[in-house]
Amino acid sequence: MKRIIALLALVALLAPLFAVQMPARVAAQDLGRLSGPQSTLPMGFNSTQSMPSTLLDGAHLPPEANQVRIRQRVVIRISPAPARARTRMLAELPRRPMRQSYEEVEHDDCVDVNDIVGVQPTGDNRLLFFTEERQVLAARLQRSCNARAFYAGFYVERSEDGKLCVSRDLLQSRAGASCEVAQFSRLVAVSQ
């Protein structure tokens, strides 16, 4: 008796599957034969309705675009010139003693950040920037800032134009201080 109940339960579970599949098969096989003027497909199917779609039907369509915002912040670190670079620069100097002094010349209000290769604080509250073109730029800081706080270099957030400008960009020292540059000048060697 238990076997008969189990068999009937299995047939009851499988019956809806066969009932749904049969009209679709009939519609697919007999579409040409049943397409007369007064014929209709069983269970509400009509010949103008499209076949059921599958998961891969939309694979050839372009993906739907959604709005994505990417916020990016780039921080550049300028460190003191390494000792080997200073030694190499000194090795290229002529061996005979030269008496030179430096004169300050006006410079633009902005400097390309990618050109700065090293920094060194001075005793008169300025930072000396060493550039790739072997120029030395003096950056005078605001009065409330101390150049000695930048002994280990500084961080600056990259701006859209990629430049470090007077009264616009903040220099963040590794010790925690933050200052703006008040003025740039270029140091030019003058023979005496």
Side-chain angles (χ1 to χ4, degrees):
M1 184 76 172
K2 289 183 180 180
R3 287 185 186 175
I4 294 174
I5 294 174
L7 186 61
L8 288 175
L10 182 61
V11 170
L13 288 174
L14 294 178
L17 293 176
F18 289 116
V20 173
Q21 295 294 330
M22 286 177 57
R25 280 194 221 125
V26 169
Q29 293 170 356
D30 300 328
L31 187 60
R33 188 175 46 121
L34 295 175
S35 62
Q38 67 249 107
S39 67
T40 59
L41 293 175
M43 292 186 62
F45 287 101
N46 60 19
S47 61
T48 60
Q49 196 175 19
S50 64
M51 291 303 234
S53 63
T54 63
L55 181 64
L56 298 177
D57 284 345
H60 68 282
L61 298 174
E64 183 178 323
N66 294 320
Q67 185 175 5
V68 177
R69 289 185 184 180
I70 299 173
R71 295 184 181 189
Q72 187 174 12
R73 182 177 175 201
V74 177
V75 177
I76 300 168
R77 178 177 183 240
I78 307 294
S79 61
R84 66 177 185 271
R86 288 189 299 240
T87 306
R88 189 178 71 231
M89 286 179 160
L90 291 174
E92 294 175 3
L93 291 175
R95 297 290 176 191
R96 60 188 165 96
M98 294 180 64
R99 296 183 60 202
Q100 287 184 345
S101 61
Y102 292 93
E103 182 178 300
E104 288 190 42
V105 179
E106 287 188 24
H107 191 269
D108 295 337
D109 285 344
C110 294
V111 176
D112 192 7
V113 174
N114 291 333
D115 288 344
I116 301 172
V117 294
V119 64
Q120 180 180 350
T122 63
D124 57 349
N125 206 31
R126 294 191 298 177
L127 294 175
L128 296 180
F129 292 162
F130 301 98
T131 65
E132 286 184 351
E133 291 89 24
R134 295 182 178 238
Q135 293 180 348
V136 180
L137 303 176
R140 187 171 51 85
L141 301 177
Q142 295 173 333
R143 291 183 187 199
S144 62
C145 295
N146 188 357
R148 282 180 265 158
F150 295 90
Y151 71 94
F154 64 90
Y155 296 105
V156 64
E157 189 171 338
R158 180 181 287 281
S159 59
E160 290 182 16
D161 59 359
K163 296 185 182 230
L164 171 66
C165 293
V166 171
S167 299
R168 183 185 79 177
D169 299 310
L170 274 176
L171 304 179
Q172 302 276 335
S173 77
R174 297 188 71 198
S178 60
C179 297
E180 287 183 354
V181 176
Q183 180 186 11
F184 281 119
S185 60
R186 188 166 46 100
L187 299 180
V188 180
V190 178
S191 298
Q192 291 183 355

CSV table of all heavy atoms in Angstrom, one decimal, residues 161-189:
chain,number,residue,atom,x,y,z
A,161,ASP,N,46.0,70.9,-12.9
A,161,ASP,CA,47.0,71.3,-13.9
A,161,ASP,C,48.4,70.7,-13.6
A,161,ASP,O,49.3,70.9,-14.3
A,161,ASP,CB,47.1,72.8,-13.9
A,161,ASP,CG,47.4,73.5,-12.6
A,161,ASP,OD1,47.6,72.7,-11.6
A,161,ASP,OD2,47.5,74.7,-12.6
A,162,GLY,N,48.5,70.0,-12.4
A,162,GLY,CA,49.8,69.3,-12.1
A,162,GLY,C,50.9,70.3,-11.6
A,162,GLY,O,52.1,70.0,-11.6
A,163,LYS,N,50.5,71.4,-11.1
A,163,LYS,CA,51.4,72.4,-10.7
A,163,LYS,C,51.3,72.8,-9.2
A,163,LYS,O,50.2,72.6,-8.6
A,163,LYS,CB,51.3,73.7,-11.5
A,163,LYS,CG,51.6,73.5,-13.0
A,163,LYS,CD,51.6,74.8,-13.7
A,163,LYS,CE,51.9,74.4,-15.2
A,163,LYS,NZ,52.9,75.2,-15.7
A,164,LEU,N,52.3,73.2,-8.6
A,164,LEU,CA,52.3,73.8,-7.2
A,164,LEU,C,52.4,75.3,-7.4
A,164,LEU,O,53.3,75.8,-7.9
A,164,LEU,CB,53.6,73.2,-6.5
A,164,LEU,CG,53.9,73.8,-5.1
A,164,LEU,CD1,52.8,73.4,-4.2
A,164,LEU,CD2,55.2,73.3,-4.6
A,165,CYS,N,51.3,75.9,-6.9
A,165,CYS,CA,51.2,77.4,-7.1
A,165,CYS,C,51.2,78.1,-5.8
A,165,CYS,O,50.8,77.6,-4.7
A,165,CYS,CB,49.9,77.7,-7.9
A,165,CYS,SG,50.0,77.1,-9.5
A,166,VAL,N,51.6,79.4,-5.9
A,166,VAL,CA,51.6,80.3,-4.7
A,166,VAL,C,50.2,80.6,-4.2
A,166,VAL,O,49.3,80.7,-5.0
A,166,VAL,CB,52.3,81.6,-5.1
A,166,VAL,CG1,52.2,82.7,-4.0
A,166,VAL,CG2,53.7,81.4,-5.5
A,167,SER,N,50.0,80.5,-2.9
A,167,SER,CA,48.7,80.8,-2.3
A,167,SER,C,47.6,79.9,-2.7
A,167,SER,O,46.4,80.3,-2.6
A,167,SER,CB,48.3,82.3,-2.5
A,167,SER,OG,49.3,83.1,-1.9
A,168,ARG,N,47.9,78.8,-3.3
A,168,ARG,CA,46.8,77.9,-3.7
A,168,ARG,C,46.9,76.5,-3.1
A,168,ARG,O,46.0,76.0,-2.5
A,168,ARG,CB,46.8,77.7,-5.2
A,168,ARG,CG,45.6,76.9,-5.7
A,168,ARG,CD,45.7,76.6,-7.2
A,168,ARG,NE,46.7,75.6,-7.5
A,168,ARG,CZ,46.9,75.2,-8.7
A,168,ARG,NH1,46.2,75.7,-9.7
A,168,ARG,NH2,47.8,74.2,-8.9
A,169,ASP,N,48.1,75.9,-3.2
A,169,ASP,CA,48.3,74.5,-2.8
A,169,ASP,C,49.0,74.4,-1.4
A,169,ASP,O,49.8,75.3,-1.1
A,169,ASP,CB,49.2,73.8,-3.8
A,169,ASP,CG,48.6,73.7,-5.2
A,169,ASP,OD1,47.4,73.4,-5.3
A,169,ASP,OD2,49.3,74.1,-6.1
A,170,LEU,N,48.5,73.5,-0.6
A,170,LEU,CA,49.1,73.2,0.7
A,170,LEU,C,50.2,72.2,0.7
A,170,LEU,O,50.1,71.2,0.1
A,170,LEU,CB,48.0,72.7,1.7
A,170,LEU,CG,47.1,73.7,2.3
A,170,LEU,CD1,46.0,73.0,3.2
A,170,LEU,CD2,47.9,74.6,3.2
A,171,LEU,N,51.3,72.6,1.3
A,171,LEU,CA,52.4,71.6,1.5
A,171,LEU,C,52.2,71.0,2.9
A,171,LEU,O,52.0,71.7,3.9
A,171,LEU,CB,53.7,72.3,1.5
A,171,LEU,CG,54.1,73.2,0.3
A,171,LEU,CD1,55.4,73.8,0.5
A,171,LEU,CD2,54.1,72.4,-0.9
A,172,GLN,N,52.1,69.7,2.9
A,172,GLN,CA,51.9,68.9,4.2
A,172,GLN,C,53.3,68.3,4.6
A,172,GLN,O,53.8,67.4,3.9
A,172,GLN,CB,50.9,67.8,4.0
A,172,GLN,CG,49.5,68.3,3.5
A,172,GLN,CD,48.7,68.7,4.6
A,172,GLN,OE1,48.8,68.3,5.8
A,172,GLN,NE2,47.7,69.6,4.3
A,173,SER,N,53.8,68.7,5.7
A,173,SER,CA,55.1,68.1,6.1
A,173,SER,C,54.8,66.8,6.7
A,173,SER,O,53.7,66.5,7.2
A,173,SER,CB,55.8,69.0,7.2
A,173,SER,OG,55.2,68.9,8.4
A,174,ARG,N,55.8,66.0,6.8
A,174,ARG,CA,55.7,64.6,7.3
A,174,ARG,C,55.6,64.7,8.9
A,174,ARG,O,55.2,63.7,9.5
A,174,ARG,CB,56.9,63.8,6.9
A,174,ARG,CG,56.9,63.6,5.4
A,174,ARG,CD,57.9,62.6,5.0
A,174,ARG,NE,57.5,61.3,5.4
A,174,ARG,CZ,58.3,60.2,5.4
A,174,ARG,NH1,59.5,60.3,5.1
A,174,ARG,NH2,57.8,59.0,5.8
A,175,ALA,N,55.9,65.9,9.4
A,175,ALA,CA,55.8,66.1,10.9
A,175,ALA,C,54.4,66.6,11.3
A,175,ALA,O,54.1,66.7,12.4
A,175,ALA,CB,56.8,67.0,11.3
A,176,GLY,N,53.5,66.9,10.3
A,176,GLY,CA,52.2,67.3,10.6
A,176,GLY,C,51.8,68.8,10.2
A,176,GLY,O,50.7,69.1,10.3
A,177,ALA,N,52.8,69.6,9.9
A,177,ALA,CA,52.5,71.0,9.6
A,177,ALA,C,52.0,71.1,8.2
A,177,ALA,O,52.3,70.3,7.3
A,177,ALA,CB,53.8,71.8,9.8
A,178,SER,N,51.2,72.1,8.0
A,178,SER,CA,50.8,72.4,6.6
A,178,SER,C,50.9,73.9,6.3
A,178,SER,O,50.5,74.7,7.2
A,178,SER,CB,49.3,72.0,6.4
A,178,SER,OG,48.5,72.6,7.3
A,179,CYS,N,51.4,74.2,5.2
A,179,CYS,CA,51.7,75.6,4.8
A,179,CYS,C,51.5,75.9,3.4
A,179,CYS,O,51.5,74.9,2.6
A,179,CYS,CB,53.2,76.0,5.1
A,179,CYS,SG,53.6,75.9,6.9
A,180,GLU,N,51.3,77.1,3.0
A,180,GLU,CA,51.2,77.5,1.6
A,180,GLU,C,52.5,78.3,1.3
A,180,GLU,O,53.1,78.9,2.1
A,180,GLU,CB,50.0,78.5,1.4
A,180,GLU,CG,48.7,77.8,1.4
A,180,GLU,CD,47.5,78.7,1.1
A,180,GLU,OE1,47.8,79.9,1.0
A,180,GLU,OE2,46.4,78.2,1.0
A,181,VAL,N,52.8,78.3,0.0
A,181,VAL,CA,54.0,79.0,-0.5
A,181,VAL,C,53.6,80.4,-0.7
A,181,VAL,O,52.5,80.7,-1.3
A,181,VAL,CB,54.5,78.4,-1.8
A,181,VAL,CG1,55.7,79.2,-2.3
A,181,VAL,CG2,55.0,76.9,-1.5
A,182,ALA,N,54.3,81.4,-0.2
A,182,ALA,CA,54.0,82.8,-0.4
A,182,ALA,C,54.7,83.4,-1.7
A,182,ALA,O,54.1,84.3,-2.3
A,182,ALA,CB,54.5,83.6,0.8
A,183,GLN,N,55.8,82.9,-2.0
A,183,GLN,CA,56.6,83.4,-3.2
A,183,GLN,C,57.6,82.4,-3.7
A,183,GLN,O,58.2,81.7,-2.9
A,183,GLN,CB,57.2,84.7,-2.8
A,183,GLN,CG,58.0,85.4,-4.0
A,183,GLN,CD,58.7,86.6,-3.5
A,183,GLN,OE1,58.8,86.9,-2.4
A,183,GLN,NE2,59.2,87.4,-4.5
A,184,PHE,N,57.8,82.4,-5.0
A,184,PHE,CA,58.9,81.6,-5.6
A,184,PHE,C,59.9,82.5,-6.1
A,184,PHE,O,59.6,83.6,-6.7
A,184,PHE,CB,58.4,80.7,-6.7
A,184,PHE,CG,57.7,79.4,-6.3
A,184,PHE,CD1,56.4,79.2,-6.7
A,184,PHE,CD2,58.4,78.5,-5.6
A,184,PHE,CE1,55.7,78.1,-6.3
A,184,PHE,CE2,57.7,77.3,-5.2
A,184,PHE,CZ,56.4,77.1,-5.6
A,185,SER,N,61.2,82.1,-6.0
A,185,SER,CA,62.3,82.8,-6.7
A,185,SER,C,63.3,81.8,-7.1
A,185,SER,O,63.4,80.7,-6.6
A,185,SER,CB,62.9,83.9,-5.8
A,185,SER,OG,63.4,83.3,-4.6
A,186,ARG,N,64.1,82.1,-8.1
A,186,ARG,CA,65.1,81.2,-8.6
A,186,ARG,C,66.5,81.7,-8.3
A,186,ARG,O,66.8,82.9,-8.3
A,186,ARG,CB,65.0,81.1,-10.2
A,186,ARG,CG,65.8,80.1,-10.8
A,186,ARG,CD,65.4,79.8,-12.2
A,186,ARG,NE,65.2,81.0,-13.0
A,186,ARG,CZ,66.1,81.5,-13.9
A,186,ARG,NH1,67.2,80.9,-14.1
A,186,ARG,NH2,65.8,82.6,-14.6
A,187,LEU,N,67.3,80.8,-7.8
A,187,LEU,CA,68.7,81.2,-7.4
A,187,LEU,C,69.6,80.9,-8.6
A,187,LEU,O,69.6,79.9,-9.2
A,187,LEU,CB,69.1,80.3,-6.2
A,187,LEU,CG,68.3,80.4,-5.0
A,187,LEU,CD1,68.9,79.5,-3.9
A,187,LEU,CD2,68.3,81.9,-4.5
A,188,VAL,N,70.3,82.0,-9.0
A,188,VAL,CA,71.2,82.0,-10.1
A,188,VAL,C,72.7,82.2,-9.6
A,188,VAL,O,72.9,83.2,-8.8
A,188,VAL,CB,70.9,83.1,-11.1
A,188,VAL,CG1,71.8,83.0,-12.3
A,188,VAL,CG2,69.4,82.9,-11.6
A,189,ALA,N,73.6,81.4,-10.0
A,189,ALA,CA,75.0,81.5,-9.6
A,189,ALA,C,75.6,82.8,-10.3
A,189,ALA,O,75.5,83.0,-11.5
A,189,ALA,CB,75.8,80.3,-10.0
